[in-house]
Amino acid sequence: MSKLEQTWRWYGPDDPVTLNHVRQAGATGIVTALHHIPIGEVWPLEEIEKRKSIIEASGLRWSVIESLPVHEDVKTQTGDFQVYIDRYKASLENIGKCGLQILCYNFMPALDWTRTSLNEPFSDGSTALKFDIQLFAAFDIHILQRTGADREYSQEIIEQAGILYKNMSPNDIEELTSTIVAGLPGTDQHFGLPEFRNAIEKYRGIDEHKYRDHVKYFLEQVIPVARANGIKMAIHPDDPPYDILGLPRIISDEQDVRDFLSLYPDQHNGLTFCTGSFGARLENELPDMIEEFAESIHFVHLRNVSNSGPKTFVEDNHLEGNTDMYEVIKKLIDMKKDHDLPYRPDHGHRMLDDLSKKVNPGYSAIGRLRGLAELRGLELGIRRSQS
Ligand code: DNO
């Protein structure tokens, strides 16, 4: 049986949710990154040490790095990509020297996670994050005006997108644009519309097949360094888990994960199992995936979504939605790991006092506090009923 470690994402000293709050939430591990170091720079040893000691001074431990972002040049294999890979390796060496062992990262093209609404009213008075494919198509076709966009959606979605766009005020357009392109917390990339167009343009001619070759090259370069430094790399799946903006997406479903892991079979080439990302694709069977990929799962994000269409979902309460969280936690407990498996309550609703506070979208204190409390209770119940 594996031992699960309760962790919490913390954005560093500027996060309105403090380390002291995290302790009160009952988590013991911190998930964080040096967000002030620009993408593509080496993480200096002293900076890692400094962050580590701040965390430890609060009685917590730095369990997972999320993320060490991969430079766009590495993903597109253009410009100085080899320099950026070498710097990535140098960061891994420094991370290893500080004794940090799990690293979550992603290889999503151009954009990390994205949503179309950050304050969607939820039935209980809280607000949630939402991804709506019709609104997204309205952005893609009418605001971004991407060439060929209208060939990538069904007729029904194109029609709905047209109606939605016609009814948008300039304010609505601005809000939708900044929600999609300005970058969500942790994204580390903050675009305006012209930069965003450029970033997407760089992927012209890179299909999934070619993109897999780029990931493979990256893995061949960095995994040996990760292994030598005792670091388990844990790639985060695509969020949302399907093709968007004509970009190559390669970690959206079960087969993608198999293909990805076979690019470089090694214990240090693993997965962040995000139930929210995989769970937004209705054909993904999450408990089966956990069983199949158990050995490669190094970190877990627990979150639930409810779909109102194949590509439209709202973030739900942690125990409600597409994913049977009972089965998921049972499978996680059943995994045989010789070390703690960290999980964190991923996102949460904006609720109670947080409705009137400044919060990082998805990362308010109280919604995640509720999520963690529910998940912890569920875990305890499962363990007790098994003993
Ligand atoms: C969103 C997060 C992602 C994740 C990165 C990892 O809430 O799960 O931003 O941190 O994709 O690189």
Side-chain angles (χ1 to χ4, degrees):
M1 283 220 289
S2 71
K3 186 160 175 317
L4 305 179
E5 183 194 16
Q6 294 166 28
T7 66
W8 186 278
R9 189 172 200 179
W10 180 61
Y11 283 102
D14 294 334
D15 193 328
V17 185
T18 65
L19 290 174
N20 192 27
H21 294 154
V22 178
R23 276 188 34 224
Q24 292 176 35
T28 54
I30 288 294
V31 175
T32 195
L34 302 181
H35 293 286
H36 58 288
I37 310 277
I39 300 178
E41 302 280 314
V42 177
W43 279 20
L45 191 60
E46 317 76 63
E47 288 290 311
I48 309 172
E49 287 290 10
K50 194 167 130 202
R51 179 62 59 86
K52 193 172 171 217
S53 41
I54 296 176
I55 295 169
E56 287 173 359
S58 298
L60 296 159
R61 82 178 194 102
W62 189 351
S63 309
V64 180
I65 291 175
E66 179 177 351
S67 316
L68 179 58
V70 178
H71 195 279
E72 284 294 296
D73 283 2
V74 175
K75 298 183 201 163
T76 53
Q77 289 204 353
T78 52
D80 288 333
F81 76 96
Q82 192 59 50
V83 171
Y84 291 123
I85 291 185
D86 292 342
R87 291 194 191 155
Y88 206 95
K89 294 182 197 170
S91 293
L92 288 178
E93 278 163 11
N94 289 343
I95 287 167
K97 282 184 195 133
C98 297
L100 301 173
Q101 294 174 333
I102 302 174
L103 190 151
C104 165
Y105 70 106
N106 77 77
F107 217 88
M108 283 181 249
L111 200 66
D112 192 336
W113 61 306
T114 191
R115 296 290 181 269
T116 53
S117 165
L118 306 181
N119 282 303
E120 188 68 18
F122 201 71
S123 50
D124 58 8
S126 62
T127 69
L129 309 188
K130 182 174 182 186
F131 184 87
D132 184 319
I133 193 68
Q134 295 176 353
L135 262 183
F136 194 79
F139 165 78
D140 194 6
I141 300 169
H142 300 285
I143 302 174
L144 186 65
Q145 299 180 341
R146 185 172 61 85
T147 316
D150 54 353
R151 288 195 296 272
E152 291 166 21
Y153 299 93
S154 68
Q155 205 44 45
E156 191 198 334
I157 290 179
I158 292 174
E159 272 164 28
Q160 291 302 325
I163 297 170
L164 284 171
Y165 179 68
K166 236 200 249 145
N167 290 318
M168 276 184 199
S169 67
N171 255 354
D172 294 337
I173 293 179
E174 199 184 308
E175 196 178 322
L176 180 63
T177 305
S178 77
T179 301
I180 295 173
V181 311
L184 289 171
T187 310
D188 296 308
Q189 254 149 355
H190 304 277
F191 297 113
L193 209 49
E195 294 96 328
F196 190 60
R197 283 202 183 95
N198 276 344
I200 292 178
E201 189 52 31
K202 295 206 173 119
Y203 286 84
R204 188 185 281 266
I206 305 180
D207 60 8
E208 277 183 25
H209 187 69
K210 190 145 190 246
Y211 203 48
R212 273 205 186 89
D213 288 345
H214 293 187
V215 186
K216 186 173 196 301
Y217 182 74
F218 174 74
L219 297 174
E220 284 166 356
Q221 292 276 311
V222 304
I223 297 295
V225 182
R227 187 196 312 118
N229 288 279
I231 300 165
K232 294 201 166 96
M233 304 269 296
I235 199 164
H236 190 284
D238 303 324
D239 183 3
Y242 26 80
D243 295 347
I244 52 168
L245 303 166
L247 294 165
R249 305 274 265 185
I250 53 163
I251 319 238
S252 296
D253 64 16
E254 229 166 292
Q255 190 54 43
D256 284 348
V257 176
R258 269 179 219 126
D259 292 345
F260 169 79
L261 294 173
S262 69
L263 292 176
Y264 198 99
D266 188 303
Q267 251 301 292
H268 300 82
N269 176 31
L271 203 60
T272 294
F273 196 84
C274 176
T275 59
S277 303
F278 286 130
R281 188 162 174 133
L282 296 167
E283 65 270 27
N284 282 337
E285 292 290 342
L286 272 55
D288 293 351
M289 288 172 79
I290 296 176
E291 208 171 310
E292 176 173 350
F293 304 123
E295 293 214 339
S296 307
I297 297 176
H298 301 321
F299 179 36
V300 185
H301 287 177
L302 294 176
R303 170 164 74 77
N304 225 323
V305 298
S306 283
N307 279 53
S308 55
K311 294 183 177 174
T312 294
F313 61 84
V314 67
E315 298 195 1
D316 210 322
N317 291 313
H318 287 74
L319 303 191
E320 287 144 42
N322 299 347
T323 299
D324 183 342
M325 209 48 91
Y326 170 81
E327 285 300 332
V328 162
I329 300 210
K330 225 162 140 242
K331 291 284 181 205
L332 293 176
I333 291 174
D334 287 347
M335 280 167 54
K336 289 180 185 55
K337 294 259 175 209
D338 52 8
H339 53 81
D340 288 5
L341 176 66
Y343 79 82
R344 65 175 181 82
D346 194 20
H347 308 177
H349 287 178
R350 191 167 178 182
M351 61 200 294
L352 310 180
D353 287 14
D354 280 336
L355 284 167
S356 54
K357 285 189 190 152
K358 186 178 173 328
V359 300
N360 285 319
Y363 288 92
S364 56
I366 304 174
R368 285 186 294 160
L369 180 75
R370 171 176 171 173
L372 180 59
E374 291 182 345
L375 294 165
R376 173 194 295 135
L378 181 56
E379 182 192 345
L380 180 75
I382 295 171
R383 287 193 192 277
R384 289 291 283 268
S385 66
Q386 285 179 344
S387 59

